[in-house]
């Protein structure tokens, strides 16, 4: 979202680099988290379902963001992409808090 809203090259570059860094770190952390929480009998199904949901999101969301970029501006499309990803952050924060609660109960 910052990348689409900023008027400063340095801030846009920092946003781009930090996004790339976070995306690179996301996959191993997500995989480890799922491996820790899931039964081996359901693990492959959950990984497959996650990949399918990601693909559906790209198939449905991509053209919509493209229309926004075509009709309004590329900046509006980039900002919309950032806004669409905000619920993912909320789910991560919720999951993180749940993990902290489980640790308190175990100790």
């Amino acid at each position: 979202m910052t990348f689409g809203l900023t008027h400063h090259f340095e801030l846009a570059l920092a946003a781009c680099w930090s996004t790339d860094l976070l995306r690179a770190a996301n996959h191993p952390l997500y995989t480890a988290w799922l491996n820790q929480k899931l039964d081996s009998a359901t693990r492959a199904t959950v990984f497959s379902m996650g990949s399918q949901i990601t693909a559906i999101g790209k198939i449905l969301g991509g053209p919509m963001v493209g229309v926004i970029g075509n009709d309004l501006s590329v900046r509006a499309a980039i900002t919309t992409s950032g806004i669409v990803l905000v619920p993912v952050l909320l789910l991560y924060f919720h999951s993180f808090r749940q993990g902290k609660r489980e640790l308190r109960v175990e100790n």
Side-chain angles (χ1 to χ4, degrees):
M1 206 163 47
T2 302
F3 187 78
L5 294 175
T6 188
H7 294 283
H8 302 287
F9 175 74
E10 295 83 8
L11 187 57
L13 187 61
C16 182
W17 283 347
S18 62
T19 300
D20 286 346
L21 179 68
L22 290 172
R23 283 188 179 166
N26 178 48
H27 183 69
L29 291 174
Y30 175 72
T31 303
W33 178 64
L34 280 183
N35 281 331
Q36 179 184 17
K37 298 286 183 185
L38 293 174
D39 253 352
S40 60
T42 59
R43 189 173 298 136
T45 304
V46 173
F47 278 121
S48 175
M49 210 163 41
S51 297
Q52 290 174 14
I53 290 169
T54 299
I56 290 169
K58 289 178 181 180
I59 290 168
L60 295 178
M64 288 185 223
V65 172
V67 167
I68 291 171
N70 196 33
D71 291 348
L72 298 176
S73 69
V74 173
R75 176 172 283 175
I78 292 171
T79 304
T80 301
S81 295
I83 291 169
V84 167
L85 292 174
V86 168
V88 175
L89 288 175
L90 298 175
L91 289 172
Y92 274 126
F93 287 132
H94 176 71
S95 175
F96 181 69
R97 285 191 309 188
Q98 282 293 112
K100 278 183 147 181
R101 285 186 196 141
E102 288 176 10
L103 284 175
R104 277 191 232 135
V105 171
E106 289 176 4
N107 292 332

